[in-house]
């Protein structure tokens, strides 16, 4: 980019040549080489608009500048052809990265190492650290992108507000408390890593998205009969496997991990909220790399998973009082789709009765005065008054 600026400056000063909308040229080097050849074949005035400056001054003080822009059909076609070629190269690069299973990367937040496909690392950072840079299939030149982000963190710079901090702990606390675990959408440096920015000549992802939204509004219809909702995928409790329905996910967990969620629900008579607490409990234990069957902590989830499957600890749940606690009403991961797919049918009410849960019945307030006289609150208030 520095060399490009020097070249543009040289052409303006030495040759009075100005190239319009340079940022819209997909391949600057090929563009320059093309016009370098054409200028040797025909006079520059056959291609460029002539702009005379100081036209009211004496003739010796006047000067002519040459503007090369896409008003010229040949220039427009060249720019479009370079854009198509660039898009083809980008899509080929993206396809190669999508199919590459030799990717090697380290998480920027916990230093966990990942091998295989790039999506494993990107999904890990999204699920474990709430850091989402977009779907893997929308990203190109992923290694360069991750290196750019890592360099900013190494320089103690927040990825969102781009402020610099004195040490890593301060930066980490800032990004967590301010919810800045995301990239700055206004930073044009990141545009090169998203395929959408190569789709149309001279249009950024914001402009493309705005056009799509306008098109939807223009063609909006009242008939929603053909609407098909695309279900969100639920993630396995023990690995990265995803499924669109809880039935498919339960089959996977039973076959791969010998964990039968539906059977546990039936045998323990769990209502909807108890299922939520159980799922959140297991999620937290797995996140902390701790086996809930023997309470041993491991260095990685892979080691934990191997241990639990070999020792048959996936189905070895602790006592109910361990996980049936209010703290597990809160999900371990944001937007955990599995929680939304749990059953909340009327049969849960029967299960709750079988569990012996206490049913709360309102007091008879027909004799309100007598109730006030005999209420236990009187004794509590009296004791509190004596203490004071």
């Amino acid at each position: 980019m520095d060399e490009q600026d020097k070249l543009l400056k040289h052409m303006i000063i030495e040759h009075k040549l100005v190239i319009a909308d340079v940022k819209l040229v997909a391949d600057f080097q090929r563009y320059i080489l093309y016009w370098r050849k054409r200028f040797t074949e025909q006079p520059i005035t056959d291609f460029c608009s002539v702009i005379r400056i100081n036209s009211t001054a004496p003739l010796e003080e006047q000067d002519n500048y040459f503007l090369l822009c896409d008003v010229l059909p040949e220039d427009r076609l060249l720019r479009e052809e370079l854009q198509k070629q660039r898009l083809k190269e980008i899509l080929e690069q993206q396809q190669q990265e999508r199919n590459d299973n030799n990717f090697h990367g380290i998480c920027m937040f916990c230093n966990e190492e990942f091998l295989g496909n790039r999506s494993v690392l990107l999904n890990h950072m999204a699920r474990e650290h709430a850091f989402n840079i977009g779907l893997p299939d929308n990203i190109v030149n992923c290694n360069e992108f991750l290196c750019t982000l890592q360099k900013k963190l190494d320089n103690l710079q927040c990825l969102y507000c781009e402020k610099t901090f004195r040490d890593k702990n301060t930066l980490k606390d800032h990004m967590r408390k301010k919810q800045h675990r995301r990239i700055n959408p206004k930073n044009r440096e990141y545009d090169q890593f998203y395929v959408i920015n190569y789709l149309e000549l001279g249009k950024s992802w914001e402009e493309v998205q705005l056009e799509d939204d306008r098109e939807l509004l223009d063609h909006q219809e009242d008939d929603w009969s053909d609407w098909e909702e695309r279900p969100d995928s639920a993630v396995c409790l023990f690995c990265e496997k995803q499924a669109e329905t809880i039935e498919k996910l339960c089959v996977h967990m039973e076959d791969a991990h010998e964990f039968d969620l539906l059977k546990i629900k039936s045998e323990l008579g769990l209502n909807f909220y108890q299922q939520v607490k159980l799922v959140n409990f297991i999620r937290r234990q797995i996140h902390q790399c701790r086996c809930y069957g023997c309470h041993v902590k491991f260095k990685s989830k892979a080691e934990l998973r191997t241990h639990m499957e070999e020792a048959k600890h996936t189905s070895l749940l602790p006592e109910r009082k361990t996980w049936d606690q209010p703290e597990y009403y809160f999900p371990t991961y944001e937007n955990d789709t599995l929680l939304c797919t749990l059953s909340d049918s009327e049969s849960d009410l029967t299960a709750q009765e079988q569990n012996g849960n206490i049913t709360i019945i309102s007091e008879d307030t027909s004799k309100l005065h007598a109730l006030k006289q005999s209420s236990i609150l009187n004794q509590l208030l009296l004791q509190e008054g004596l203490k004071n």
Side-chain angles (χ1 to χ4, degrees), residues 126-132 179 181 235 280 283 330-340:
R127 289 185 58 241
E128 302 288 344
H129 307 289
F131 179 72
N132 190 353
Q179 296 184 348
R181 281 193 174 179
V235 182
N280 288 334
R283 287 270 196 232
F330 304 96
T332 303
Y333 301 129
E334 186 178 0
N335 301 325
D336 189 345
T337 307
L338 177 57
L339 299 176
C340 303

Side-chain angles (χ1 to χ4, degrees), residues 118-141:
R118 59 179 184 164
S119 61
V120 179
L121 172 57
L122 297 181
N123 289 334
H124 161 82
M125 291 194 295
R127 289 185 58 241
E128 302 288 344
H129 307 289
F131 179 72
N132 190 353
I133 58 176
L135 295 175
D137 287 347
N138 295 339
I139 294 173
V140 67
N141 295 321

Side-chain angles (χ1 to χ4, degrees), residues 305-348:
R305 186 161 55 245
T306 301
H307 157 77
M308 295 186 73
E309 291 173 359
E310 291 178 352
K312 309 294 184 183
H313 282 184
T314 51
S315 58
L316 188 61
L317 291 176
E319 296 181 7
R320 184 192 294 262
K321 64 181 181 181
T322 302
W323 54 264
D324 195 1
Q325 300 294 332
E327 63 182 291
Y328 296 115
Y329 277 126
F330 304 96
T332 303
Y333 301 129
E334 186 178 0
N335 301 325
D336 189 345
T337 307
L338 177 57
L339 299 176
C340 303
T341 59
L342 296 174
S343 171
D344 56 351
S345 61
E346 294 181 358
S347 60
D348 290 334

Side-chain angles (χ1 to χ4, degrees), residues 347-360:
S347 60
D348 290 334
L349 298 176
T350 305
Q352 185 175 352
E353 293 172 0
Q354 293 174 352
N355 265 342
N357 289 352
I358 299 174
T359 304
I360 300 175

